[in-house]
Amino acid sequence: MLREPGMDMFQYMEILEALSPHSKKVLVHSKNVTTLPQLEFILEAGLASGIHWTSQAPLGSELLSWGEHSRSCHSAQEARQLLSIAKGLDWITLSPIFHTKKPYSSVPLGSTEFDTLPPALLKRTVALGGISCETLPRLASFRYLKGIACIGALASSDWENLVDLSMELFCQM
């Protein structure tokens, strides 16, 4: 998922083009891609596989027929509720997992909290928040977890190591 609110669209497209050879599962973010023509172009060019919606985005969007769709959740309770009513969602992100610079109103769940989530929920859940080369190994034991998403880590100089480590840890599952 590539999210950087306020980023120039030209720069955003350059990053999408650079990431696309490394992953077939890059999602654009609804704070960056805000129009249907932008989304159509990105999906048709093969630069992303879908869009990630903020937790404030209305359900039942006209774009639910376009690519993959995910949505932000900030508690296990919110995730359970959303996945039970929003059948068009492919998956959700659950955050924050670890401490992050982004100010959240909730306390980080931590990797041990994932043990309390049922496998059916984990299969449609992507961990987000504070994911780094240091914290990533703590998530590798959750075999039902759909995956991980990073925001700030992809802007760091160590992003290639993070991609390599995530492939090593999660492609074994």
Side-chain angles (χ1 to χ4, degrees):
M1 175 190 341
L2 181 58
R3 174 187 177 264
E4 189 57 43
M7 179 182 278
D8 173 78
M9 183 52 79
F10 180 76
Q11 185 182 10
Y12 190 81
M13 293 295 291
E14 282 184 326
I15 294 171
L16 280 176
E17 289 173 2
L19 286 173
S20 65
H22 300 285
S23 176
K24 295 179 183 184
K25 294 290 184 178
V26 173
L27 268 73
V28 295
H29 198 278
S30 65
K31 285 193 174 187
N32 289 97
V33 178
T34 58
T35 69
L36 182 57
Q38 288 173 340
L39 182 60
E40 288 175 336
F41 175 80
I42 288 167
L43 294 175
E44 288 174 5
L47 299 176
S49 60
I51 188 166
H52 179 78
W53 303 98
T54 67
S55 58
Q56 295 83 28
L59 291 175
S61 167
E62 64 184 354
L63 301 179
L64 282 179
S65 62
W66 287 82
E68 287 187 59
H69 294 270
S70 67
R71 187 176 174 101
S72 294
C73 291
H74 302 293
S75 72
Q77 179 182 353
E78 181 184 5
R80 283 184 184 97
Q81 180 183 16
L82 185 61
L83 287 173
S84 70
I85 62 170
K87 303 299 182 197
L89 288 174
D90 295 296
W91 46 276
I92 53 104
T93 58
L94 186 56
S95 64
I97 304 306
F98 304 111
H99 289 283
T100 178
K101 293 177 185 175
K102 182 178 178 182
Y104 282 99
S105 59
S106 58
V107 175
L109 293 169
S111 58
T112 56
E113 295 280 331
F114 276 95
D115 282 331
T116 66
L117 299 174
L121 180 60
L122 284 175
K123 287 178 183 177
R124 294 179 64 197
T125 301
V126 172
L128 172 65
I131 308 285
S132 66
C133 288
E134 292 75 35
T135 60
L136 187 61
R138 293 165 42 193
L139 295 174
S141 64
F142 300 100
R143 66 177 190 260
Y144 296 113
L145 189 64
K146 181 162 181 70
I148 60 156
C150 304
I151 297 172
L154 289 177
S156 76
S157 60
D158 201 26
W159 72 271
E160 289 176 329
N161 288 333
L162 182 68
V163 170
D164 291 343
L165 181 59
S166 65
M167 297 296 284
E168 179 184 321
L169 293 173
F170 289 98
C171 287
Q172 304 171 30
M173 302 171 121

Short mmCIF file of all heavy atoms in Angstrom, two decimals, residues 11-46:
data_model
loop_
_atom_site.label_atom_id
_atom_site.label_comp_id
_atom_site.label_asym_id
_atom_site.label_seq_id
_atom_site.Cartn_x
_atom_site.Cartn_y
_atom_site.Cartn_z
N GLN A 11 5.22 12.46 -8.61
CA GLN A 11 6.13 11.73 -7.74
C GLN A 11 5.50 10.40 -7.29
O GLN A 11 6.16 9.37 -7.24
CB GLN A 11 6.51 12.57 -6.53
CG GLN A 11 7.54 11.92 -5.62
CD GLN A 11 7.86 12.77 -4.40
OE1 GLN A 11 7.20 13.76 -4.10
NE2 GLN A 11 8.89 12.37 -3.69
N TYR A 12 4.22 10.44 -6.97
CA TYR A 12 3.49 9.23 -6.56
C TYR A 12 3.55 8.18 -7.68
O TYR A 12 3.80 7.01 -7.43
CB TYR A 12 2.04 9.62 -6.23
CG TYR A 12 1.24 8.54 -5.56
CD1 TYR A 12 1.35 8.30 -4.19
CD2 TYR A 12 0.34 7.77 -6.28
CE1 TYR A 12 0.60 7.32 -3.57
CE2 TYR A 12 -0.42 6.79 -5.67
CZ TYR A 12 -0.30 6.57 -4.31
OH TYR A 12 -1.04 5.60 -3.69
N MET A 13 3.32 8.61 -8.92
CA MET A 13 3.37 7.70 -10.06
C MET A 13 4.78 7.13 -10.26
O MET A 13 4.92 5.95 -10.60
CB MET A 13 2.90 8.42 -11.33
CG MET A 13 1.43 8.79 -11.31
SD MET A 13 0.34 7.37 -11.29
CE MET A 13 0.62 6.73 -12.93
N GLU A 14 5.81 7.94 -10.05
CA GLU A 14 7.18 7.44 -10.16
C GLU A 14 7.43 6.30 -9.17
O GLU A 14 8.07 5.30 -9.50
CB GLU A 14 8.19 8.57 -9.91
CG GLU A 14 8.37 9.49 -11.08
CD GLU A 14 9.46 10.52 -10.81
OE1 GLU A 14 9.61 10.97 -9.64
OE2 GLU A 14 10.15 10.89 -11.77
N ILE A 15 6.95 6.47 -7.93
CA ILE A 15 7.13 5.43 -6.91
C ILE A 15 6.34 4.17 -7.29
O ILE A 15 6.85 3.06 -7.17
CB ILE A 15 6.75 5.95 -5.52
CG1 ILE A 15 7.73 7.05 -5.10
CG2 ILE A 15 6.74 4.81 -4.49
CD1 ILE A 15 7.33 7.78 -3.83
N LEU A 16 5.11 4.34 -7.77
CA LEU A 16 4.32 3.19 -8.22
C LEU A 16 5.06 2.42 -9.32
O LEU A 16 5.10 1.19 -9.30
CB LEU A 16 2.96 3.63 -8.74
CG LEU A 16 1.88 3.91 -7.72
CD1 LEU A 16 0.62 4.44 -8.41
CD2 LEU A 16 1.56 2.67 -6.89
N GLU A 17 5.62 3.15 -10.27
CA GLU A 17 6.36 2.50 -11.36
C GLU A 17 7.58 1.75 -10.84
O GLU A 17 7.91 0.67 -11.32
CB GLU A 17 6.76 3.53 -12.41
CG GLU A 17 5.57 4.02 -13.22
CD GLU A 17 5.91 5.16 -14.17
OE1 GLU A 17 7.09 5.57 -14.24
OE2 GLU A 17 4.97 5.65 -14.82
N ALA A 18 8.25 2.30 -9.84
CA ALA A 18 9.43 1.64 -9.26
C ALA A 18 9.05 0.40 -8.46
O ALA A 18 9.78 -0.58 -8.45
CB ALA A 18 10.20 2.62 -8.37
N LEU A 19 7.90 0.44 -7.79
CA LEU A 19 7.47 -0.70 -6.97
C LEU A 19 6.84 -1.83 -7.77
O LEU A 19 6.93 -2.99 -7.38
CB LEU A 19 6.46 -0.25 -5.91
CG LEU A 19 6.98 0.55 -4.73
CD1 LEU A 19 5.82 1.04 -3.87
CD2 LEU A 19 7.94 -0.29 -3.90
N SER A 20 6.21 -1.52 -8.88
CA SER A 20 5.42 -2.52 -9.60
C SER A 20 6.20 -3.77 -10.03
O SER A 20 5.64 -4.87 -9.97
CB SER A 20 4.69 -1.90 -10.79
OG SER A 20 5.58 -1.42 -11.76
N PRO A 21 7.48 -3.70 -10.40
CA PRO A 21 8.19 -4.94 -10.73
C PRO A 21 8.43 -5.84 -9.51
O PRO A 21 8.64 -7.03 -9.65
CB PRO A 21 9.53 -4.47 -11.30
CG PRO A 21 9.35 -3.04 -11.65
CD PRO A 21 8.30 -2.52 -10.73
N HIS A 22 8.40 -5.26 -8.30
CA HIS A 22 8.68 -6.02 -7.08
C HIS A 22 7.46 -6.69 -6.49
O HIS A 22 7.58 -7.62 -5.70
CB HIS A 22 9.31 -5.11 -6.01
CG HIS A 22 10.60 -4.50 -6.44
ND1 HIS A 22 11.77 -5.21 -6.51
CD2 HIS A 22 10.89 -3.25 -6.87
CE1 HIS A 22 12.74 -4.43 -6.93
NE2 HIS A 22 12.23 -3.24 -7.16
N SER A 23 6.27 -6.21 -6.82
CA SER A 23 5.08 -6.74 -6.20
C SER A 23 3.88 -6.58 -7.10
O SER A 23 3.67 -5.54 -7.71
CB SER A 23 4.81 -6.03 -4.87
OG SER A 23 3.60 -6.48 -4.32
N LYS A 24 3.07 -7.62 -7.15
CA LYS A 24 1.81 -7.55 -7.89
C LYS A 24 0.68 -7.10 -6.99
O LYS A 24 -0.45 -7.01 -7.43
CB LYS A 24 1.49 -8.91 -8.50
CG LYS A 24 2.50 -9.32 -9.53
CD LYS A 24 2.21 -10.66 -10.12
CE LYS A 24 3.35 -10.95 -11.07
NZ LYS A 24 3.29 -12.10 -11.83
N LYS A 25 0.96 -6.84 -5.74
CA LYS A 25 -0.06 -6.48 -4.77
C LYS A 25 0.14 -5.08 -4.21
O LYS A 25 -0.06 -4.85 -3.04
CB LYS A 25 -0.09 -7.49 -3.61
CG LYS A 25 -0.53 -8.86 -4.02
CD LYS A 25 -2.00 -8.84 -4.35
CE LYS A 25 -2.47 -10.24 -4.67
NZ LYS A 25 -3.87 -10.30 -4.95
N VAL A 26 0.52 -4.12 -5.02
CA VAL A 26 0.62 -2.75 -4.57
C VAL A 26 -0.77 -2.13 -4.65
O VAL A 26 -1.43 -2.23 -5.68
CB VAL A 26 1.61 -1.94 -5.44
CG1 VAL A 26 1.58 -0.47 -5.06
CG2 VAL A 26 3.02 -2.50 -5.30
N LEU A 27 -1.21 -1.53 -3.56
CA LEU A 27 -2.48 -0.83 -3.55
C LEU A 27 -2.23 0.66 -3.40
O LEU A 27 -1.36 1.06 -2.64
CB LEU A 27 -3.36 -1.30 -2.39
CG LEU A 27 -4.33 -2.43 -2.74
CD1 LEU A 27 -3.57 -3.72 -2.89
CD2 LEU A 27 -5.40 -2.55 -1.71
N VAL A 28 -2.99 1.45 -4.13
CA VAL A 28 -2.94 2.89 -3.97
C VAL A 28 -3.84 3.26 -2.81
O VAL A 28 -4.66 2.46 -2.36
CB VAL A 28 -3.36 3.63 -5.27
CG1 VAL A 28 -2.37 3.35 -6.38
CG2 VAL A 28 -4.77 3.27 -5.69
N HIS A 29 -3.69 4.46 -2.29
CA HIS A 29 -4.45 4.90 -1.12
C HIS A 29 -5.45 5.98 -1.53
O HIS A 29 -5.15 6.83 -2.36
CB HIS A 29 -3.48 5.44 -0.06
CG HIS A 29 -4.09 5.51 1.29
ND1 HIS A 29 -4.89 6.55 1.66
CD2 HIS A 29 -4.03 4.66 2.33
CE1 HIS A 29 -5.29 6.35 2.91
NE2 HIS A 29 -4.80 5.21 3.33
N SER A 30 -6.62 5.94 -0.92
CA SER A 30 -7.68 6.89 -1.28
C SER A 30 -7.34 8.33 -0.92
O SER A 30 -8.00 9.24 -1.39
CB SER A 30 -9.01 6.48 -0.65
OG SER A 30 -8.95 6.55 0.76
N LYS A 31 -6.30 8.56 -0.12
CA LYS A 31 -5.87 9.94 0.15
C LYS A 31 -4.96 10.46 -0.96
O LYS A 31 -4.69 11.64 -1.03
CB LYS A 31 -5.16 10.03 1.50
CG LYS A 31 -6.13 9.96 2.66
CD LYS A 31 -5.46 10.36 3.94
CE LYS A 31 -6.48 10.41 5.05
NZ LYS A 31 -5.94 10.96 6.27
N ASN A 32 -4.45 9.57 -1.81
CA ASN A 32 -3.59 9.97 -2.91
C ASN A 32 -4.31 9.91 -4.25
O ASN A 32 -4.16 10.79 -5.08
CB ASN A 32 -2.33 9.11 -2.98
CG ASN A 32 -1.39 9.41 -1.85
OD1 ASN A 32 -1.40 8.72 -0.85
ND2 ASN A 32 -0.62 10.47 -1.97
N VAL A 33 -5.01 8.83 -4.48
CA VAL A 33 -5.73 8.65 -5.73
C VAL A 33 -7.18 8.99 -5.44
O VAL A 33 -7.91 8.20 -4.84
CB VAL A 33 -5.57 7.22 -6.26
CG1 VAL A 33 -6.37 7.02 -7.54
CG2 VAL A 33 -4.09 6.93 -6.50
N THR A 34 -7.59 10.17 -5.85
CA THR A 34 -8.88 10.71 -5.42
C THR A 34 -9.94 10.78 -6.51
O THR A 34 -11.07 11.17 -6.24
CB THR A 34 -8.68 12.12 -4.82
OG1 THR A 34 -8.07 12.94 -5.81
CG2 THR A 34 -7.80 12.06 -3.58
N THR A 35 -9.58 10.40 -7.74
CA THR A 35 -10.56 10.45 -8.82
C THR A 35 -10.63 9.10 -9.55
O THR A 35 -9.65 8.35 -9.58
CB THR A 35 -10.23 11.54 -9.85
OG1 THR A 35 -9.05 11.16 -10.58
CG2 THR A 35 -10.04 12.90 -9.19
N LEU A 36 -11.77 8.83 -10.14
CA LEU A 36 -11.95 7.61 -10.91
C LEU A 36 -10.99 7.53 -12.10
O LEU A 36 -10.38 6.49 -12.32
CB LEU A 36 -13.40 7.48 -11.37
CG LEU A 36 -13.76 6.22 -12.14
CD1 LEU A 36 -13.44 4.97 -11.35
CD2 LEU A 36 -15.23 6.24 -12.53
N PRO A 37 -10.78 8.62 -12.88
CA PRO A 37 -9.80 8.53 -13.98
C PRO A 37 -8.39 8.17 -13.51
O PRO A 37 -7.69 7.41 -14.19
CB PRO A 37 -9.85 9.93 -14.62
CG PRO A 37 -11.22 10.43 -14.30
CD PRO A 37 -11.53 9.89 -12.93
N GLN A 38 -7.96 8.73 -12.38
CA GLN A 38 -6.63 8.37 -11.85
C GLN A 38 -6.57 6.88 -11.55
O GLN A 38 -5.61 6.20 -11.92
CB GLN A 38 -6.33 9.15 -10.58
CG GLN A 38 -6.04 10.60 -10.76
CD GLN A 38 -5.90 11.33 -9.42
OE1 GLN A 38 -6.36 10.87 -8.39
NE2 GLN A 38 -5.26 12.49 -9.46
N LEU A 39 -7.59 6.38 -10.86
CA LEU A 39 -7.60 4.96 -10.50
C LEU A 39 -7.65 4.07 -11.74
O LEU A 39 -6.91 3.09 -11.83
CB LEU A 39 -8.78 4.65 -9.57
CG LEU A 39 -8.88 3.21 -9.09
CD1 LEU A 39 -7.63 2.80 -8.32
CD2 LEU A 39 -10.12 3.02 -8.23
N GLU A 40 -8.50 4.42 -12.70
CA GLU A 40 -8.58 3.64 -13.94
C GLU A 40 -7.23 3.56 -14.63
O GLU A 40 -6.80 2.49 -15.06
CB GLU A 40 -9.61 4.25 -14.90
CG GLU A 40 -11.04 4.05 -14.46
CD GLU A 40 -12.02 4.78 -15.37
OE1 GLU A 40 -11.64 5.78 -16.03
OE2 GLU A 40 -13.18 4.35 -15.41
N PHE A 41 -6.55 4.69 -14.76
CA PHE A 41 -5.24 4.72 -15.43
C PHE A 41 -4.25 3.82 -14.70
O PHE A 41 -3.54 3.02 -15.32
CB PHE A 41 -4.70 6.16 -15.51
CG PHE A 41 -3.31 6.22 -16.08
CD1 PHE A 41 -3.11 6.15 -17.44
CD2 PHE A 41 -2.19 6.29 -15.24
CE1 PHE A 41 -1.82 6.17 -17.98
CE2 PHE A 41 -0.91 6.31 -15.76
CZ PHE A 41 -0.73 6.25 -17.14
N ILE A 42 -4.17 3.95 -13.38
CA ILE A 42 -3.21 3.18 -12.59
C ILE A 42 -3.48 1.68 -12.70
O ILE A 42 -2.55 0.89 -12.88
CB ILE A 42 -3.23 3.66 -11.12
CG1 ILE A 42 -2.57 5.05 -11.03
CG2 ILE A 42 -2.54 2.67 -10.20
CD1 ILE A 42 -2.79 5.78 -9.73
N LEU A 43 -4.74 1.28 -12.61
CA LEU A 43 -5.08 -0.14 -12.70
C LEU A 43 -4.84 -0.68 -14.11
O LEU A 43 -4.29 -1.77 -14.27
CB LEU A 43 -6.53 -0.38 -12.27
CG LEU A 43 -6.84 -0.11 -10.80
CD1 LEU A 43 -8.33 -0.26 -10.53
CD2 LEU A 43 -6.04 -1.01 -9.89
N GLU A 44 -5.25 0.07 -15.13
CA GLU A 44 -5.05 -0.38 -16.51
C GLU A 44 -3.58 -0.46 -16.88
O GLU A 44 -3.19 -1.30 -17.69
CB GLU A 44 -5.82 0.52 -17.47
CG GLU A 44 -7.33 0.30 -17.38
CD GLU A 44 -8.13 1.29 -18.22
OE1 GLU A 44 -7.52 2.10 -18.95
OE2 GLU A 44 -9.37 1.25 -18.12
N ALA A 45 -2.75 0.40 -16.30
CA ALA A 45 -1.31 0.38 -16.58
C ALA A 45 -0.60 -0.73 -15.79
O ALA A 45 0.59 -0.95 -15.97
CB ALA A 45 -0.69 1.74 -16.25
N GLY A 46 -1.33 -1.40 -14.90
CA GLY A 46 -0.73 -2.48 -14.11
C GLY A 46 0.18 -1.99 -13.00
O GLY A 46 1.03 -2.73 -12.52
#
